[in-house]
Structure formats: C-alpha cells, structure tokens
Amino acid sequence: MASACESGCPWGELGDYIRESMKPYGYSVILCRNCNRSYGPRLVSENDYPPPLDEINLEDGVNVRIDARVDFGVTSSAMLSAAYNSSLAGKGPYPNLRLIAKMKIRSIIWWR
C-alpha cells in the first residue's frame, strides 16, 4: 500500500489504520513508506515498484524500501483528481485509478 512515513505523516498513520483493520480478515497489508508525495498515484496506477529512497525519505525516518508492486494507496482527493486528469507534476493522465473510500478528517488545533 502506498503510504508515508511512520511518525507524523497523516498518510502513514492512515496506512497503519488500514493495515491493522485488515488483519482480522486475514490480509497482510505491506506499507510502502516512501510511496508518498506525487509518487503514490502513479505507482498504484501502473502497479509499479517503489522508487529508490531519497533524502526527504531519510529525513522522515524512512530507511527501508519495499521491493514489491504497489496495489493501492492513500492520498488526498486533490492529488487523486490531479493524477486522474493529467495535471500531477506534468504527468498522467492515470485513468485507471479508482476511489475506494473517502474519509473526512477534521482538523485539530492545538495551542499552548
């Protein structure tokens, strides 16, 4: 699953949630922690392998690259729409992408 870093990345935390939610049904969801940013939609669309680790991944604490094809992922609706309609980083379109679920996440504001 195209996800993101383990700590402090919303898409990574959603990946953790999906992985844990699927365990009781016998699924073993493997999270690709460096299949984030603009990579995710393309990787899912093309059922491709994750990119090499880069400096941003290492700064986020991602130091393992999964060597498996990416079947599905988590991203923002804006990123998905851009990938589907060919305006994602000048690449695409990726018309075989499908929305499985949409979650409304409420913002939490902290102050001190």
Side-chain angles (χ1 to χ4, degrees):
M1 175 182 181
S3 150
C5 70
E6 197 168 354
S7 300
C9 297
W11 309 136
E13 293 174 10
L14 283 169
D16 290 337
Y17 174 79
I18 290 169
R19 181 182 57 198
E20 296 305 312
S21 297
M22 297 304 288
K23 274 184 186 176
Y25 299 102
Y27 291 96
S28 177
V29 176
I30 299 168
L31 301 178
C32 174
R33 299 292 189 178
N34 71 313
C35 294
N36 53 4
R37 304 188 310 267
S38 64
Y39 296 124
R42 182 193 64 77
L43 294 169
V44 171
S45 174
E46 297 175 352
N47 189 231
D48 202 359
Y49 288 90
L53 294 174
D54 62 21
E55 191 64 34
I56 295 171
N57 297 135
L58 298 173
E59 289 172 6
D60 287 340
V62 177
N63 56 14
V64 174
R65 178 187 174 272
I66 302 300
D67 189 26
R69 293 184 182 275
V70 181
D71 294 320
F72 66 107
V74 58
T75 192
S76 69
S77 56
M79 183 86 69
L80 178 62
S81 178
Y84 187 86
N85 293 308
S86 80
S87 56
L88 179 66
K91 298 182 181 173
Y94 301 108
N96 61 337
L97 292 170
R98 298 293 179 262
L99 177 66
I100 297 172
K102 185 172 180 178
M103 301 174 66
K104 184 173 182 173
I105 301 173
R106 297 182 186 267
S107 299
I108 299 173
I109 300 171
W110 296 86
W111 67 89
R112 190 171 172 180

